[in-house]
Amino acid sequence: MSDTATLSPTSLGNAPYDVERVRQDFPILTRLVHKRKGRPGKPLVYLDNGASAQKPRQVIDAMSHLLENDYANVHRGVHFLSQRSTDLYEGTRDKVAAFLNAPSRENIVFTRNATEAFNLLAQSWGRRFLKAGDAVLISWMEHHANIVPWQLLRDQIGIEIKVVPVLDDGSLDMSAYAQLLTDNVKLVSITHASNVLGTVNPAKRIAQLAHAKGIPVAFDGSQAAVHQPVDVQAIDADFYVFTGHKLYGPTGIGVMYGKMEHLNAMPPWQGGGDMISTVSFAHTTYREAPYRFEAGTPAIVEGIGLGAAIDYVTALGMDAIHAHEQRLLAYATGRLSEIDGVRIIGTAPDKAAIISFTMDGIHPHDIGTLLDSRGVAVRVGRHCAEPLMDRFGVGATARASFAAYNTEAEVDALVDAVLATKSFFG
Amino acid sequence: MSDTATLSPTSLGNAPYDVERVRQDFPILTRLVHKRKGRPGKPLVYLDNGASAQKPRQVIDAMSHLLENDYANVHRGVHFLSQRSTDLYEGTRDKVAAFLNAPSRENIVFTRNATEAFNLLAQSWGRRFLKAGDAVLISWMEHHANIVPWQLLRDQIGIEIKVVPVLDDGSLDMSAYAQLLTDNVKLVSITHASNVLGTVNPAKRIAQLAHAKGIPVAFDGSQAAVHQPVDVQAIDADFYVFTGHKLYGPTGIGVMYGKMEHLNAMPPWQGGGDMISTVSFAHTTYREAPYRFEAGTPAIVEGIGLGAAIDYVTALGMDAIHAHEQRLLAYATGRLSEIDGVRIIGTAPDKAAIISFTMDGIHPHDIGTLLDSRGVAVRVGRHCAEPLMDRFGVGATARASFAAYNTEAEVDALVDAVLATKSFFG
Amino acid sequence: MFDDLRDLYQEVILDHGKNPRNFGKPESYNRTARGDNPMCGDKINVYLTVDGNGIIQDLRFDGRGCAISQASASLMTEILRGKPAAEAEALFEYFHDVCTKDDDEQGVHENLDEDATDKLAVLSGVREFPMRVKCATLAWHTMKAALHGDPVTSTENSAF
Amino acid sequence: MFDDLRDLYQEVILDHGKNPRNFGKPESYNRTARGDNPMCGDKINVYLTVDGNGIIQDLRFDGRGCAISQASASLMTEILRGKPAAEAEALFEYFHDVCTKDDDEQGVHENLDEDATDKLAVLSGVREFPMRVKCATLAWHTMKAALHGDPVTSTENSAF
Ligand SMILES: Cc1ncc(COP(=O)(O)O)c(C=O)c1O
Ligand SMILES: Cc1ncc(COP(=O)(O)O)c(C=O)c1O
């Protein structure tokens, strides 16, 4: 094995989506959880994909293989391994560009995660192009990653944060959006899909309306990009952000796509090695975008792992993944809705495969613990979207979120566990 | 295998340092490079450790094992895998604290790399505690990671950057240092060891002199911490930075140690999930240090890998690694010095196992290519220390840097390749 | 049905969780604090009436939370009523150990009301559920903050 | 001794590397630019004299660099002397392909001086050494910058 060519998933060809074969690519899915002294353990039913997805063997192996065969620091070395690591690492930039249908690899900036991408956007683009009194328009369904960076900037330079409301079904209030696009709005930064409600916002329409007023638009694709195909040119996004670990890739790597006109106009954010052109104590010059934004030794192994993840989902087909998850979503929504006392929060049409719910008289934290004791992993809490929780008058929810490897049987396990929880506290 | 307990290196007990057994832990070291159609390939002689070290099986396995058995997002989940990942990830904070002899785990902030640590320091500590006219005192032997962040801050708020000169042997000019500690100096930020010269600076003395004037001191331990034991309390460092990938650990993870009095006084830097306490559009509150500085999903797998790397070097013993490398350094220095036309840059006493050199009439880039063609990987160029290159009147150097797994035979391979290079261009 | 959770959700806890005692804001009180558990979004208010001799004459709470945190708050109000403030803090120390340490690792806690310690023992099951420990201790943190005059506390920032 | 490097360090290159032609700053010139290769710290200056008809009457260079970059600069000065500026740019296009693409992937480059293209062929060995491509192209980038009136250029920011 001296090459990393064998990274495609267990081939599915044009056959119908074979989830059992997909599952075989994910070693953790055969795990028994809560196994200890004398207890056999429970099969894992992993429905916490919205927080982070599990990794296929192809991604795990790409990283191990690199470290066992091809690893060195990138960009500056003339030796064989450095060249090899550089090729593989920079190869991911091409893969990401293709994945998002970006015009070029130079549009792709690597970050640690989605959160860092928004901090970069706020501090580099924001500090250069915004001044006191200017507004950034976000929405009520944002993850903290697309709220707090703007609040920090607000505290630093006095911008205003405006918020598009959310309708009762979890849709974005598009008529309010149109009205909120006032003259002082200088950037729209809105999630493409909500990590709590599953709502997929009409990105193209959002961009059109903003562009009509000359306002650039940034999208948080952390959830959208993992559930469906994304085409940044079709949407006409000015910026588009996602995070590797939710796309079956490694932790420690995220992506900010930006149009070149923006990236080229943005000052560096962090300083250090690899982002400079020349350094003297008096004067330092910086490299062009995207490299200007990537200071220090990058997350090399993670970048290469992300490349393997993109190869993986591309081979499965984002369309096929989407269709599979939609089947699960419909089935799970139907079954959960039948249970008395279960309330699903977020019922917008064409939503992504994420179901947040509450149960009458039972706190989400207790739901989480009870489900977990049966091997069913869901997320409970505020999902880093506290304002949205307030909007729906809940302190917290339980959330089941689906991925390429989930099955109807797992939905059944979820529903059984919810029923059992209900009678336990009943 | 459901536990990660078996991470200690091939046990050495109290036996003399057995480098062959250490080498067995590093899968890449058996690799043949430049192997292609009909060519057998050359054994790898990896002497580019200053750029990044190779990883032992223990680190690679810890990451794969996690992803195959225990992976989930950390901190917020109540389910089994989340709990497990959290325990492992936060366990690394304890390991790092022990590795640096920090008073507590709360002193340890995780960053992407050393570069990010200095950007965090400059933007969070610097913006809070420095104002126009204040000076940060660095040295002429800094890596760009400890230069450019201060230049960005200078451009933002008008601080001054003062620079301690370097003597001809590569030592820090300590009498100049004492004189440069003037009243407007509000922070000393100096490397503990030079990545070009190998010089190990007298950290304790540097801190003493600064503290006598009430000035805090930050050290760049990126090179020092990999070559010798570090005790931040003995040095009395206010901040101490290192980067995981040079310590046989993963990319994408670095560390900033800080005294609690400083960390507690520093505002957050990046905003997002995991670093907040409560969020509303009007007002957001932040968590305590160190969590306040860690926004978004952390580099979970990389953090856990770093823990395995620390376990590894701890089991080998930093003292034993140091002694081994010093033997190699002495041997290599002796042999290279015998070659006419080779000039070693950096000859300070008690330096770390790093040798920068030039060859008369032969450009370092050509040296790099010729050595590489024989399997010998060294770094050539400016080593992200451009001002230092100017100081020594060289555009670039070639650099061999040693690690726990290097051997005398590898030094011989280096010397043979240097001799051959000399006659090739002779 | 949930055999593994028997220790965590004991009958007493389910009962107190469903029917919390001393729930609701009293007409009068002289110490109060709010406690946040950002992990789950729970908020709790504790209202104390401490007399001139430092005796907790009355304590009540309101707010929302999971079964564990509600039961813990409810049990706390029953246990601390009539006790000196100093003893309340000592009991919290003890309770902390109960929630986080195995029996043989717990510190020495002397001169505590045995009735109180017995009652608290029902919550020792959280020990096996580290993610739930803060649910159990939220009310106690808040009580302590109120005694110390801190208006708001958050379990996020505490080590347990 | 370095068999794998025969293609890269051909005799012509070693010769031009050691004895670069047209080296040194001329008394007079009317176009100049500095080129940086931050990867290795090399800097090169190119000095051009272009006449009213756009013909490169003279070109010289100075600065330091590796054998490849010095040889490439030296060869460039020999090749471009007396050529129209437009042809210089066309030759750079061709040379770019030579340095980065396999023979069958190279674009169509018509009407180029065969002497020139033959001479440039000795540098085609860099193709196998992607990290050295910028060494070979530095002088050409700088020449182009000088023609376009840009005072400084850097290979760091170019794709090859
Ligand atoms: C002394 C020194 N400081 C800082 C760094 C930067 O490390 P990183 O690129 O991992 O941030 C390096 C390594 O390149 C170094 O040698
Ligand atoms: C919609 C959305 N945005 C941003 C994030 C933040 O991602 P990360 O924590 O990887 O930065 C998440 C995930 O937590 C998310 O769901």
Side-chain angles (χ1 to χ4, degrees):
Chain A
M1 282 242 297
S2 86
D3 231 297
T4 46
T6 54
L7 294 177
S8 60
T10 313
S11 172
L12 300 171
N14 283 324
Y17 195 85
D18 184 348
V19 69
E20 288 307 326
R21 294 188 65 180
V22 173
R23 290 179 71 80
Q24 286 169 20
D25 290 329
F26 291 80
I28 206 171
L29 296 182
T30 56
R31 192 196 206 297
L32 298 178
V33 294
H34 292 300
K35 198 167 130 187
R36 49 194 165 188
K37 16 174 169 92
R39 297 194 203 156
K42 312 274 161 60
L44 173 64
V45 176
Y46 188 76
L47 301 176
D48 192 19
N49 298 288
S52 199
Q54 297 298 342
K55 321 304 172 201
R57 204 172 357 88
Q58 288 82 347
V59 168
I60 302 171
D61 287 355
M63 296 197 285
S64 308
H65 185 272
L66 176 83
L67 291 172
E68 287 169 7
N69 294 277
D70 294 320
Y71 176 78
N73 209 329
V74 294
H75 294 154
R76 306 260 156 186
V78 297
H79 62 76
F80 180 87
L81 293 179
S82 178
Q83 174 71 59
R84 190 119 180 90
S85 278
T86 302
D87 289 349
L88 290 166
Y89 177 73
E90 288 297 331
T92 294
R93 219 184 288 273
D94 296 310
K95 291 176 184 182
V96 172
F99 179 70
L100 296 177
N101 191 31
S104 86
R105 51 181 274 107
E106 273 77 32
N107 294 108
I108 307 303
V109 180
F110 288 125
T111 61
R112 174 178 32 241
N113 49 24
T115 303
E116 191 184 42
F118 282 105
N119 283 277
L120 165 55
L121 189 62
Q123 293 295 317
S124 172
W125 189 90
R127 274 180 186 258
R128 166 115 341 152
F129 293 105
L130 299 178
K131 53 180 198 317
D134 287 345
V136 172
L137 182 56
I138 64 174
S139 89
W140 223 279
M141 65 174 93
E142 297 312 315
H143 186 278
H144 294 165
N146 192 22
I147 301 174
V148 187
W150 304 114
Q151 294 183 316
L152 292 175
L153 187 65
R154 175 181 66 188
D155 298 346
Q156 288 159 353
I157 66 168
I159 60 161
E160 190 188 334
I161 296 170
K162 293 189 172 184
V163 188
V164 185
V166 170
L167 301 176
D168 285 344
D169 73 346
S171 310
L172 196 68
D173 184 339
M174 284 300 285
S175 65
Y177 170 66
Q179 279 164 8
L180 281 162
L181 282 174
T182 54
D183 283 349
N184 75 331
V185 173
K186 294 293 183 295
L187 179 73
V188 171
S189 188
I190 277 188
T191 196
H192 192 183
S194 160
N195 64 318
V196 177
L197 308 165
T199 312
V200 178
N201 290 318
K204 195 170 170 173
R205 184 83 192 120
I206 288 170
Q208 264 171 357
L209 289 169
H211 289 162
K213 307 202 77 178
I215 306 167
V217 181
F219 289 106
D220 180 354
S222 303
Q223 295 294 338
V226 308
H227 291 299
Q228 57 185 58
V230 169
D231 182 333
V232 289
Q233 295 190 78
I235 295 171
D236 200 13
D238 292 274
F239 296 98
Y240 196 94
V241 163
F242 73 90
T243 192
H245 66 94
K246 297 190 206 267
L247 190 68
Y248 313 98
T251 47
I253 187 92
V255 166
M256 183 181 84
Y257 160 85
K259 286 187 182 168
M260 288 321 294
E261 63 196 85
H262 300 307
L263 295 184
N264 286 335
M266 284 160 61
W269 179 41
Q270 296 187 26
D274 229 30
M275 55 71 75
I276 55 90
S277 197
T278 63
V279 173
S280 72
F281 290 123
H283 187 65
T284 288
T285 57
Y286 306 108
R287 292 179 67 183
E288 288 193 350
Y291 311 104
R292 182 193 303 159
F293 305 110
E294 299 173 4
T297 302
I300 300 167
V301 185
E302 295 64 42
I304 291 167
L306 177 61
I310 288 177
D311 287 344
Y312 184 81
V313 294
T314 304
L316 277 186
M318 285 306 302
D319 276 321
I321 292 173
H322 182 243
H324 171 71
E325 290 179 357
Q326 288 293 312
R327 283 189 296 272
L328 292 178
L329 176 66
Y331 179 62
T333 305
R335 289 219 51 197
L336 285 172
S337 309
E338 283 165 12
I339 304 173
D340 218 45
V342 167
R343 173 184 168 207
I344 292 180
I345 307 207
T347 52
D350 301 322
K351 61 179 264 195
I354 293 170
I355 305 182
S356 276
F357 63 95
T358 58
M359 294 175 71
D360 284 353
I362 310 177
H363 190 280
H365 242 64
D366 295 313
I367 302 175
T369 297
L370 269 71
L371 265 51
D372 174 56
S373 79
R374 297 168 72 114
V376 179
V378 299
R379 182 112 322 202
V380 296
R382 303 185 300 185
H383 315 292
C384 296
E386 197 171 339
L388 188 65
M389 296 290 112
D390 296 340
R391 157 68 180 82
F392 282 94
V394 290
T397 72
R399 178 188 72 184
S401 47
F402 300 96
Y405 42 69
N406 289 125
T407 64
E408 297 207 350
E410 290 182 314
V411 173
D412 291 335
L414 166 69
V415 171
D416 288 349
V418 167
L419 287 168
T421 299
K422 189 179 160 188
S423 50
F424 184 77
F425 283 107
Chain B
M1 280 243 298
S2 85
D3 230 299
T4 46
T6 54
L7 294 175
S8 59
T10 313
S11 172
L12 298 172
N14 283 324
Y17 194 84
D18 183 349
V19 68
E20 289 308 325
R21 294 189 65 180
V22 173
R23 290 179 72 79
Q24 287 170 18
D25 290 330
F26 290 80
I28 206 171
L29 297 181
T30 56
R31 193 193 203 300
L32 299 178
V33 295
H34 292 300
K35 198 167 131 189
R36 49 194 165 188
K37 13 176 170 95
R39 296 194 204 155
K42 313 274 160 58
L44 173 64
V45 177
Y46 188 77
L47 301 176
D48 192 18
N49 298 290
S52 200
Q54 297 298 341
K55 320 305 171 201
R57 205 170 0 88
Q58 288 81 348
V59 168
I60 303 171
D61 288 354
M63 296 197 286
S64 310
H65 185 271
L66 177 82
L67 291 173
E68 289 170 5
N69 294 276
D70 294 320
Y71 176 78
N73 209 330
V74 294
H75 294 155
R76 305 259 157 188
V78 296
H79 61 75
F80 181 86
L81 293 178
S82 177
Q83 172 72 57
R84 189 117 181 93
S85 278
T86 301
D87 289 348
L88 290 166
Y89 177 73
E90 287 298 332
T92 294
R93 219 184 287 273
D94 295 310
K95 291 176 185 182
V96 172
F99 179 69
L100 295 176
N101 191 31
S104 86
R105 52 181 274 108
E106 273 78 32
N107 295 107
I108 307 304
V109 180
F110 288 125
T111 61
R112 173 176 33 241
N113 50 24
T115 303
E116 191 184 42
F118 282 105
N119 282 277
L120 165 54
L121 190 61
Q123 293 295 317
S124 172
W125 189 90
R127 274 180 186 258
R128 166 115 341 151
F129 292 105
L130 299 177
K131 53 180 196 317
D134 288 344
V136 172
L137 182 56
I138 64 173
S139 90
W140 222 279
M141 65 174 95
E142 297 312 315
H143 186 278
H144 294 165
N146 192 22
I147 300 175
V148 187
W150 304 114
Q151 294 183 315
L152 293 175
L153 188 66
R154 175 180 67 189
D155 298 347
Q156 288 160 352
I157 66 167
I159 60 160
E160 190 189 333
I161 296 170
K162 293 190 171 183
V163 188
V164 185
V166 170
L167 300 176
D168 285 344
D169 72 347
S171 310
L172 195 69
D173 185 340
M174 284 299 287
S175 65
Y177 170 67
Q179 276 163 13
L180 282 162
L181 283 174
T182 53
D183 282 350
N184 76 330
V185 172
K186 293 292 183 296
L187 179 72
V188 171
S189 189
I190 278 189
T191 195
H192 193 184
S194 160
N195 64 318
V196 177
L197 308 164
T199 312
V200 179
N201 290 318
K204 195 169 168 174
R205 183 85 190 117
I206 289 170
Q208 263 170 358
L209 288 169
H211 289 162
K213 308 202 76 179
I215 306 166
V217 181
F219 289 105
D220 180 354
S222 303
Q223 295 293 339
V226 308
H227 291 300
Q228 57 185 58
V230 169
D231 181 333
V232 290
Q233 295 190 77
I235 296 171
D236 201 12
D238 293 275
F239 296 99
Y240 196 95
V241 163
F242 73 91
T243 191
H245 66 93
K246 296 189 206 267
L247 189 68
Y248 313 98
T251 48
I253 186 95
V255 166
M256 182 180 85
Y257 160 85
K259 286 186 183 169
M260 289 320 296
E261 62 196 85
H262 300 307
L263 295 184
N264 286 334
M266 285 160 61
W269 179 40
Q270 297 187 26
D274 229 27
M275 55 70 75
I276 56 89
S277 198
T278 62
V279 172
S280 72
F281 291 122
H283 185 66
T284 288
T285 57
Y286 307 108
R287 291 180 68 185
E288 286 193 353
Y291 311 104
R292 182 195 303 159
F293 305 109
E294 299 173 4
T297 302
I300 300 167
V301 185
E302 296 63 43
I304 291 166
L306 177 61
I310 288 178
D311 287 344
Y312 185 80
V313 293
T314 303
L316 277 186
M318 286 306 301
D319 276 318
I321 293 173
H322 182 243
H324 171 71
E325 291 179 357
Q326 287 294 313
R327 282 189 296 272
L328 293 177
L329 175 67
Y331 180 61
T333 305
R335 291 219 50 198
L336 286 171
S337 308
E338 282 164 14
I339 305 172
D340 220 43
V342 167
R343 173 185 168 208
I344 292 179
I345 308 211
T347 53
D350 302 321
K351 61 180 266 195
I354 294 170
I355 305 183
S356 275
F357 63 96
T358 58
M359 295 175 71
D360 284 353
I362 311 178
H363 191 280
H365 242 63
D366 296 314
I367 303 175
T369 297
L370 269 72
L371 265 50
D372 173 56
S373 79
R374 296 169 71 114
V376 179
V378 298
R379 180 111 323 197
V380 297
R382 303 186 299 186
H383 316 292
C384 296
E386 197 172 341
L388 188 66
M389 296 290 111
D390 296 341
R391 158 67 179 83
F392 282 93
V394 291
T397 73
R399 179 189 70 185
S401 47
F402 301 96
Y405 42 68
N406 289 126
T407 64
E408 296 207 349
E410 290 182 312
V411 173
D412 291 334
L414 166 69
V415 171
D416 288 350
V418 167
L419 287 168
T421 299
K422 190 180 161 187
S423 50
F424 184 78
F425 283 107
Chain C
M1 200 159 48
F2 288 101
D3 292 348
D4 300 351
L5 300 180
R6 253 190 325 233
D7 286 351
L8 183 61
Y9 293 103
Q10 299 196 23
E11 274 308 320
V12 185
I13 293 177
L14 290 177
D15 172 41
H16 277 263
K18 254 182 265 176
N19 310 299
R21 324 295 197 261
N22 303 307
F23 189 91
K25 186 173 177 176
E27 300 262 301
S28 73
Y29 52 89
N30 55 20
R31 310 278 173 89
T32 185
R34 195 185 82 209
D36 294 334
N37 183 349
M39 168 124 174
C40 51
D42 291 350
K43 291 188 204 318
I44 202 176
N45 297 294
V46 169
Y47 310 95
L48 297 169
T49 304
V50 183
D51 70 15
N53 300 319
I55 308 292
I56 299 172
Q57 292 296 354
D58 187 40
L59 78 168
R60 295 175 170 273
F61 79 102
D62 62 14
R64 65 184 163 198
C66 61
I68 309 287
S69 77
Q70 294 282 304
S72 173
S74 171
L75 281 163
M76 179 185 81
T77 58
E78 287 197 333
I79 289 171
L80 296 188
R81 186 179 304 248
K83 292 223 160 44
E87 192 174 345
E89 298 212 27
L91 279 165
F92 183 18
E93 296 284 308
Y94 166 78
F95 182 54
H96 162 219
D97 274 13
V98 166
C99 291
T100 56
K101 295 183 184 154
D102 283 343
D103 291 342
D104 50 353
E105 286 171 351
Q106 294 174 14
V108 190
H109 301 281
E110 285 172 343
N111 302 326
L112 293 179
D113 176 359
E114 263 192 43
D115 262 12
T117 56
D118 283 356
K119 269 196 171 165
L120 288 174
V122 299
L123 279 158
S124 64
V126 294
R127 218 186 278 162
E128 302 289 312
F129 299 83
M131 296 292 188
R132 304 304 302 276
V133 169
K134 286 178 180 177
C135 307
T137 56
L138 176 62
W140 291 80
H141 277 289
T142 313
M143 174 276 296
K144 190 174 162 186
L147 285 179
H148 289 228
D150 305 329
V152 182
T153 188
S154 165
T155 55
E156 186 89 72
N157 292 331
S158 64
F160 66 97
Chain D
M1 202 159 47
F2 288 102
D3 292 349
D4 300 351
L5 301 179
R6 255 188 326 236
D7 287 352
L8 183 61
Y9 292 103
Q10 300 195 22
E11 275 307 323
V12 186
I13 292 177
L14 290 178
D15 173 39
H16 276 264
K18 253 182 264 179
N19 310 300
R21 325 296 199 258
N22 302 309
F23 188 91
K25 186 173 179 176
E27 300 262 300
S28 72
Y29 53 87
N30 55 18
R31 308 277 174 90
T32 186
R34 195 188 80 211
D36 295 332
N37 183 348
M39 167 123 174
C40 49
D42 290 352
K43 291 187 204 316
I44 203 176
N45 297 294
V46 169
Y47 310 96
L48 297 169
T49 304
V50 184
D51 71 14
N53 299 320
I55 308 291
I56 298 171
Q57 292 297 352
D58 187 40
L59 77 167
R60 295 176 169 273
F61 80 102
D62 62 12
R64 63 182 165 200
C66 61
I68 310 287
S69 78
Q70 294 282 302
S72 174
S74 172
L75 281 162
M76 179 184 81
T77 59
E78 288 196 331
I79 290 171
L80 296 188
R81 187 179 305 248
K83 294 224 158 45
E87 192 175 343
E89 297 211 29
L91 278 164
F92 184 19
E93 296 284 309
Y94 166 77
F95 182 53
H96 164 217
D97 274 13
V98 166
C99 290
T100 56
K101 295 182 184 157
D102 283 342
D103 291 342
D104 50 352
E105 287 172 349
Q106 294 174 16
V108 190
H109 302 279
E110 285 172 344
N111 303 323
L112 293 180
D113 175 359
E114 265 193 40
D115 265 10
T117 56
D118 283 355
K119 270 199 169 162
L120 287 174
V122 300
L123 279 157
S124 64
V126 295
R127 218 187 277 162
E128 303 289 312
F129 299 83
M131 295 293 189
R132 305 303 303 275
V133 169
K134 287 179 180 175
C135 307
T137 56
L138 175 62
W140 290 81
H141 278 289
T142 313
M143 175 277 296
K144 189 173 162 185
L147 284 179
H148 289 227
D150 305 329
V152 182
T153 187
S154 166
T155 54
E156 185 90 70
N157 293 331
S158 64
F160 65 96

